[in-house]
């Protein structure tokens, strides 16, 4: 392209390129690129001119060429697919009439911050440095699937919408980011897709507003983050999917509102996470799905637990903050699948690791009671007997109370009405206390019950004492056996 074919604005950009100088067409810092369609020729640059500069622009000895353009209206499509660009590309605060295309391109640096775009095509592009889209407004699909970014990807305070589009508004599936994915304050109206993507640093979505109420607002299946994933003080309308994701550091959802009524608001099944923080936010609207997840630390405040959870095969090493068992147990009662023994075992183990044996026993007692409701009627009756008598072995002193009460009842009754001896000349002196003990204790014999025979109601009382003695003995043995097996 010859310089005599350029407009005044384009010639200014052309002459600045070989020296790496910046060109700023703005009238003031408050210029809004959303109004760029009305900008005149004095700040309009054709995309073909920029393409010619980047592919084969002039050079100047001793200078580093770069394209640094601010506040321009760019007409036509900036098509750089498959191109190798050796210069930084900085097109800030610009208005693009057509979506730029960087498919499979190789770039040093790409900066589209504060620009307005109808879309972006960057599948499989390679960027050696950073990609900046800070405060950019994209009114179409941003396609970055399979991109390789050596530095960070910046999307802070960006706004992405794609009215009428059936595909995700931000596509980063299978992308690889060599540093951070930095997007605090991001606004999206449509799905973010991060399936199979990897981030070598951290992900920052603090104060983001992600909206796709009819489906997935954030779909990050098998997403891998080597650092932290921060989603603090955010609002997510639509479900957040992390199935099979691996987050080495912390997944922080503190102060965040998750809303997906009728479904699972957080789908983190089969994830591996260093620390999961769910605190200080309102209870999520929708279920919490942590099936088969593996966590080192689960920071979960009871107030943040939703009405429905899925915790089957969830494992965690530490559960914080430390709360009484009475405040943790309602979470397990909200399990969608009903009685899940593994969830009770995990909570019991967490309490034992911090030395709270009392809370651990309460959890195990609640587990047995929950299990009882799944049994047939005769199993429920036997379980109720164990619960009432010795608390399934977790409250053994209760059996002693029952025995003492029955001993007192039998002793008083038989003291007032001595049973007749079977053989008067051979019977030992009658003792109401030891006679009652003979009836209550099925193993020990003091020779009283075999020597005396009550009649009428006192005989019925003897049958009741024998039966309850056997029940108490059986439940105590079952409780002791369960306690020994736990040890």
């Amino acid at each position: 392209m010859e310089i005599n074919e350029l407009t005044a604005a384009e010639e200014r950009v052309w002459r600045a390129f070989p020296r790496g100088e910046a060109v700023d067409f703005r009238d003031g810092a408050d210029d809004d690129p959303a109004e760029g369609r009305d900008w005149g020729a004095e700040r309009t640059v054709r995309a073909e001119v920029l393409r010619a500069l980047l592919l084969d622009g002039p050079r100047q000895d001793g200078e580093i060429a770069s394209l640094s353009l601010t506040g321009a209206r760019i007409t036509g499509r900036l098509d750089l697919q498959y191109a190798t660009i050796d210069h930084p590309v900085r097109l800030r605060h610009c208005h693009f009439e057509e979506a730029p295309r960087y498919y499979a391109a190789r770039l040093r640096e790409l900066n589209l911050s504060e620009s307005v775009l109808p879309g972006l095509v960057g599948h499989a592009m390679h960027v050696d440095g950073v990609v900046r889209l800070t405060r950019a407004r994209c009114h179409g699909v941003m396609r970055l699937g399979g991109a390789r970014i050596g530095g960070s990807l910046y999307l802070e305070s960006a706004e992405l919408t794609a009215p009428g589009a059936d595909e995700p508004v931000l596509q980063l599936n299978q992308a690889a980011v060599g540093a951070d994915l930095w997007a605090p304050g991001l606004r999206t109206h449509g799905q973010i897709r991060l399936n199979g993507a990897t981030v070598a640093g951290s992900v920052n979505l603090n104060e983001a507003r992600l909206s796709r109420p009819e489906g997935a607002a954030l779909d990050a299946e098998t997403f891998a983050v080597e650092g932290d994933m921060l989603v603090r003080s955010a609002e997510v309308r639509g479900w957040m999917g992390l199935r099979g994701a691996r987050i080495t550091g912390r997944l922080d959802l503190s102060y965040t509102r998750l809303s997906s009524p009728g479904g699972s608001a957080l789908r983190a099944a089969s994830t591996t996470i260093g620390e999961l923080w769910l605190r200080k936010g309102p209870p999520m609207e929708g279920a919490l799905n942590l099936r088969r997840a593996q966590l080192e630390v689960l920071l979960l405040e009871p107030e943040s637990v939703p009405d429905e959870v899925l915790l089957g095969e969830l494992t965690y090493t530490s559960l914080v903050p430390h709360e009484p068992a009475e405040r943790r147990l309602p979470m397990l009662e909200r399990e969608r699948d009903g009685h899940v023994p593994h969830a009770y075992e995990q909570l019991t183990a967490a309490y034992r690791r911090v030395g709270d044996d009392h809370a651990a026993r309460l959890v195990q007692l609640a587990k047995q009671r929950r299990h009882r409701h799944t049994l047939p009627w005769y199993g429920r009756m036997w379980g109720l007997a164990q619960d009432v008598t010795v608390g399934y072995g977790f409250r053994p002193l209760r059996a002693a109370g029952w025995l003492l009460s029955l001993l007192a009842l039998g002793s008083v009754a038989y003291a007032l009405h001595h049973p007749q001896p079977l053989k008067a000349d051979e019977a030992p002196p009658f003792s109401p206390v030891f006679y009652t003990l003979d009836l209550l204790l099925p193993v020990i014999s003091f020779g009283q019950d075999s020597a005396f025979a009550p009649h009428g109601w006192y005989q019925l009382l003897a049958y009741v004492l024998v039966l309850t003695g056997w029940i108490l003995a059986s439940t105590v043995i079952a409780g002791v056996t369960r306690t020994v097996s736990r040890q």
Side-chain angles (χ1 to χ4, degrees):
M1 179 173 287
E2 299 294 334
I3 195 169
N4 55 12
E5 300 174 358
L6 306 177
T7 65
E10 293 169 346
E11 184 176 343
R12 181 179 170 187
V13 176
W14 193 276
R15 294 185 183 280
F17 174 80
R19 297 190 297 273
E21 295 177 351
V23 177
D24 191 345
F25 287 120
R26 290 179 296 176
D27 295 328
D30 58 348
D31 264 7
D32 187 356
E35 301 173 357
R37 65 177 65 87
D38 300 324
W39 292 344
E42 73 281 359
R43 53 193 302 183
T44 298
V45 178
R46 289 171 292 169
E48 61 181 300
V49 174
L50 301 181
R51 184 175 188 273
L53 268 177
L54 292 170
L55 293 179
D56 194 24
R59 303 290 188 274
Q60 184 171 325
D61 292 341
E63 300 290 345
I64 300 174
S66 68
L67 177 60
S68 183
L69 176 59
T70 304
R73 178 167 69 99
I74 300 174
T75 60
R77 182 187 296 277
L78 180 55
D79 192 345
L80 294 171
Q81 63 177 341
Y82 302 113
T84 298
I85 308 299
D86 294 327
H87 323 290
V89 179
R90 305 185 184 105
L91 299 169
R92 297 179 57 251
H93 214 275
C94 292
H95 180 95
F96 289 80
E97 289 190 348
E98 296 186 44
R101 182 181 296 163
Y102 301 97
Y103 180 84
R106 184 70 182 257
L107 308 169
R108 291 291 182 88
E109 176 190 337
L110 179 61
N111 189 341
L112 300 174
S113 295
E114 301 171 303
S115 292
V116 173
L117 308 99
L120 177 63
V121 179
H123 294 303
M125 73 175 183
H126 286 237
V127 181
D128 296 336
V130 301
V131 174
R132 294 185 182 273
L133 291 156
T134 302
R135 293 182 293 280
R137 283 169 281 177
C138 184
H139 302 297
V141 176
M142 186 174 287
R143 300 179 177 90
L144 298 172
R148 297 291 182 267
I149 300 171
S152 295
L153 171 58
Y154 294 96
L155 284 160
E156 61 264 51
S157 300
E159 183 175 346
L160 311 178
T161 61
D166 295 328
E167 53 186 318
V169 64
L170 175 58
Q171 301 174 16
L172 281 165
N173 45 297
Q174 309 302 324
V177 179
D180 297 329
L181 172 53
W182 204 253
L186 174 66
R187 304 291 190 272
T188 60
H189 301 274
Q191 183 188 123
I192 299 176
R193 179 170 292 172
L194 291 166
N195 294 351
T198 60
V199 175
S202 294
V203 176
N204 188 328
L205 287 167
N206 290 340
E207 301 181 2
R209 298 293 181 267
L210 314 180
S211 178
R212 189 172 179 255
E214 69 280 4
L218 174 63
D219 192 1
E221 186 171 328
T222 65
F223 184 40
V225 182
E226 295 300 324
D228 297 328
M229 184 171 180
L230 309 177
V231 195
R232 296 169 59 94
S233 303
E235 183 174 343
V236 182
R237 296 190 178 275
W239 53 268
M240 181 175 176
L242 294 167
R243 181 177 176 275
R246 179 177 58 82
I247 301 171
T248 303
R250 179 173 83 251
L251 172 57
D252 191 349
L253 294 165
S254 303
Y255 305 95
T256 290
R257 186 182 196 90
L258 301 176
S259 176
S260 182
S264 295
L266 177 59
R267 305 182 181 187
S270 303
T271 56
T272 302
I273 302 173
E275 299 183 14
L276 173 58
W277 288 19
L278 288 166
R279 66 187 188 102
K280 303 302 181 185
M284 61 184 70
E285 300 175 33
L288 169 62
N289 186 346
L290 293 175
R291 284 174 174 160
R292 299 177 300 280
Q294 299 180 36
L295 315 174
E296 287 296 322
V297 177
L298 174 58
L299 196 163
L300 178 61
E301 294 180 341
E303 295 81 8
S304 298
V305 178
D307 294 335
E308 190 174 51
V309 297
L310 295 96
L311 305 177
E313 299 181 58
L314 164 68
T315 61
Y316 49 86
T317 303
S318 176
L319 177 63
V320 292
H322 183 73
E323 295 278 357
E326 294 84 355
R327 282 175 52 80
R328 292 291 187 192
L329 285 171
M331 173 180 69
L332 306 187
E333 295 168 2
R334 299 173 188 177
E335 172 64 50
R336 178 189 294 177
D337 296 333
H339 176 52
V340 178
H342 180 80
Y344 287 89
E345 294 299 331
Q346 279 294 302
L347 184 55
T348 299
Y351 278 124
R352 285 180 176 156
R353 274 190 287 269
V354 297
D356 193 343
D357 291 331
H358 173 70
R361 287 193 297 270
L362 289 180
V363 175
Q364 285 294 297
L365 179 58
K367 172 190 171 185
Q368 295 298 328
R369 288 172 173 169
R370 187 78 180 273
H371 175 64
R372 186 173 74 219
H373 295 291
T374 67
L375 301 175
W377 68 268
Y378 49 85
R380 291 197 298 272
M381 293 297 293
W382 175 241
L384 181 60
Q386 293 187 72
D387 192 1
V388 171
T389 53
V390 292
Y392 286 99
F394 297 101
R395 294 176 177 173
L397 291 179
R398 187 180 291 179
W402 280 104
L403 285 171
L404 289 174
S405 299
L406 292 172
L407 177 61
L409 174 64
S411 299
V412 171
Y414 292 118
L416 296 175
H417 190 282
H418 290 197
Q420 296 298 319
L422 294 175
K423 297 179 180 180
D425 55 343
E426 298 179 7
F430 178 74
S431 171
V433 173
F434 286 98
Y435 180 74
T436 305
L437 283 174
D438 258 354
L439 296 174
L440 283 173
L441 303 178
V443 177
I444 301 174
S445 176
F446 295 100
Q448 292 280 316
D449 64 330
S450 59
F452 298 91
H455 297 281
W457 287 103
Y458 295 96
Q459 186 177 20
L460 179 61
L461 176 60
Y463 293 155
V464 171
L465 291 175
V466 171
L467 179 61
T468 54
W470 274 103
I471 292 175
L472 284 171
S474 300
T475 52
V476 167
I477 292 171
V480 170
T481 302
R482 188 179 295 111
T483 302
V484 171
S485 66
R486 289 197 305 271
Q487 299 301 325

